[in-house]
């Protein structure tokens, strides 16, 4: 009796696991790449490169594969769908990419990667309060509160007597994570149920962001550059991999493992970001930053129901 189906299944599981690890690694390393690229290009040029290169990469994939759902068109035809994708391109790509790149002029890549991990907390808040697509139980409400407390500990407001660049940088990171949370809630409410192939979905999200960046070129990207190989490779990795292929990997993992298990990439990216920042850039922490990060992680575990706290209590 042939064991080919079992072998194919095992191969598929290994492939998905490798895509998951690659996704977490490249997204965690993206904060290092931004820090390296800032040595030769502006923060606007970093965000511009990410979306333009990512859009081109995904566009080539869609052109080559022509993905369809139930024999439908490759690209959606309804105008409202394109409007929704424009919204999430702005809130999920253009604005947060600009904010993170700007922030890394003032904060370490390690700290920026930690703030990126706040995204699930912001997603829970937005999905519940702004879009009302979810209801939270008592444990999830506690998780959000613990996560917010962790953010306050990381910021360490007692250290500031004035609005410094470091404080503004941290606030920009929080703003970027909030944008991601808004985008996840908006996507779930208006786009997630539509029959759009995964590769097409990623292409429209990133591609429209890339078009917006091209239109903004005279404002955010028309500056002198000082390119070296590390800077060029960092920009290529940010665009083609982190904002291109990683989105395809994310969709594959989501379909194979489901949203809950796929979301565990949230735990991988800050670990990678911190390790690379410390080992390669020599970044260091104060006592409050790891403590705050631990609170954020605990908050995520509670908000995603990976830890239970008391009976279920629905809140609108």
């Amino acid at each position: 009796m042939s064991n080919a189906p079992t072998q194919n299944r095992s191969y598929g599981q290994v492939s998905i696991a490798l895509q998951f690890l690659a996704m977490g690694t490249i997204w965690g390393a993206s904060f290092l790449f931004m820090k390296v690229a800032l040595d030769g290009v502006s923060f606007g040029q970093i965000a511009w490169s990410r979306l333009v290169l990512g859009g081109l990469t995904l566009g080539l994939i869609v052109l080559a594969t022509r993905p369809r759902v139930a024999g439908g068109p490759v690209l959606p035809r309804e105008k409202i769908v394109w409007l929704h994708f424009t919204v999430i391109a702005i809130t999920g790509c253009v604005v947060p990419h600009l904010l993170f790149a700007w922030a890394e002029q003032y904060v370490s890549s390690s700290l920026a990667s930690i703030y990126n991990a706040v995204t699930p907390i912001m997603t829970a808040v937005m999905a519940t309060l702004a879009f009302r697509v979810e209801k939270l139980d008592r444990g999830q409400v506690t998780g959000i509160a613990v996560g917010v407390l962790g953010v306050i500990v990381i910021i360490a407001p007692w250290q500031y007597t004035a609005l410094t660049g470091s404080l503004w940088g941290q606030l920009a990171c929080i703003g970027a994570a909030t944008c991601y949370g808004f985008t996840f809630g908006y996507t779930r409410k208006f786009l997630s149920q539509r029959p759009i192939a995964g590769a097409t979905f990623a292409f429209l999200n990133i591609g429209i962001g890339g078009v917006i960046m091209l239109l903004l070129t005279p404002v955010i990207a028309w500056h002198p550059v000082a390119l070296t190989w590390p800077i060029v490779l960092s920009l290529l990795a940010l665009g083609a991999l982190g904002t291109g292929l990683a989105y395809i990997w994310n969709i594959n993992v989501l379909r194979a493992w489901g949203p809950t298990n796929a979301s565990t990439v949230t735990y991988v990216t800050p670990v990678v970001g911190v390790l690379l920042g410390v080992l390669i850039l020599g970044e260091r922490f104060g006592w409050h930053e790891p403590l705050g990060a631990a609170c954020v992680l605990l908050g995520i575990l509670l908000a995603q129901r990976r830890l239970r706290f008391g009976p279920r209590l629905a809140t609108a």
Side-chain angles (χ1 to χ4, degrees):
M1 183 175 180
S2 174
N3 61 353
T6 302
Q7 291 177 340
N8 291 337
R9 193 180 308 114
S10 298
Y11 175 80
Q13 292 172 349
V14 171
S15 175
I16 292 298
L18 290 175
Q19 290 179 67
F20 175 84
L21 292 175
M23 176 176 64
T25 300
I26 195 66
W27 281 349
S30 65
F31 299 95
L32 169 67
F33 296 145
M34 282 189 280
K35 183 67 79 173
V36 172
L38 281 170
D39 287 338
V41 299
S42 68
F43 76 91
Q45 290 167 331
I46 291 175
W48 186 96
S49 299
R50 291 188 68 174
L51 288 172
V52 172
L53 292 174
L56 287 172
T57 301
L58 291 167
L60 291 173
I61 292 173
V62 170
L63 184 63
T65 60
R66 309 286 294 178
R68 301 174 187 270
V69 174
V74 175
L75 298 177
R77 295 171 179 170
E78 302 93 338
K79 293 181 180 179
I80 188 63
V81 175
W82 287 86
L83 176 60
H84 288 321
F85 271 107
T86 301
V87 171
I88 66 171
I90 294 172
T91 63
C93 299
V94 175
V95 175
H97 288 181
L98 284 168
L99 286 174
F100 267 128
W102 181 85
E104 286 212 32
Q105 298 175 113
Y106 305 102
V107 302
S108 69
S109 65
S110 303
L111 190 56
S113 70
I114 291 174
Y115 276 118
N116 184 63
V118 178
T119 297
I121 301 295
M122 297 302 182
T123 300
V125 172
M126 290 293 177
T128 303
L129 300 182
F131 297 104
R132 297 185 180 275
V133 294
E134 290 184 357
K135 292 184 178 181
L136 303 181
D137 58 32
R138 182 178 300 173
Q140 291 177 293
V141 172
T142 302
I144 292 173
V146 172
V148 171
L149 175 62
V151 170
I152 294 173
V153 173
I154 295 171
I155 294 176
W158 57 85
Q159 294 186 343
Y160 300 98
T161 57
L163 291 176
T164 64
S166 174
L167 179 58
W168 279 115
Q170 293 187 70
L171 294 176
C173 290
I174 295 172
T178 303
C179 285
Y180 287 145
F182 175 91
T183 301
F184 282 122
Y186 189 97
T187 300
R188 179 168 178 180
K189 187 174 182 67
F190 297 108
L191 287 170
S192 62
Q193 303 304 318
R194 296 182 181 273
I196 302 173
T200 303
F201 200 106
F203 167 62
L204 290 175
N205 187 11
I206 303 301
I208 292 176
V211 171
I212 293 172
M213 284 300 195
L214 288 172
L215 295 175
L216 294 176
T217 297
V219 179
I220 66 172
W222 202 258
H223 304 96
V225 298
L227 297 179
T228 62
W229 277 114
I231 292 171
V232 170
L233 293 175
S234 293
L235 292 174
L236 287 173
L238 279 169
L241 294 179
T243 319
L245 286 176
Y247 277 75
I248 301 295
W249 299 334
N250 183 49
I251 292 165
N252 293 338
V253 173
L254 181 65
R255 288 175 170 171
W257 289 358
T260 300
N261 289 328
S263 69
T264 56
V265 72
T266 306
Y267 314 141
V268 177
T269 52
V271 173
V272 173
V274 169
L275 285 176
L276 292 177
V278 171
L279 295 176
I280 296 179
L281 300 178
E283 296 173 347
R284 294 292 181 265
F285 290 115
W287 64 268
H288 59 92
E289 291 161 334
L291 177 60
C295 291
V296 169
L297 177 59
L298 176 60
I300 294 171
L301 292 172
L302 289 168
Q304 293 183 340
R305 296 192 181 98
R306 294 180 181 278
L307 291 179
R308 295 288 179 177
F309 178 81
R312 182 177 177 85
L313 176 64
T315 62

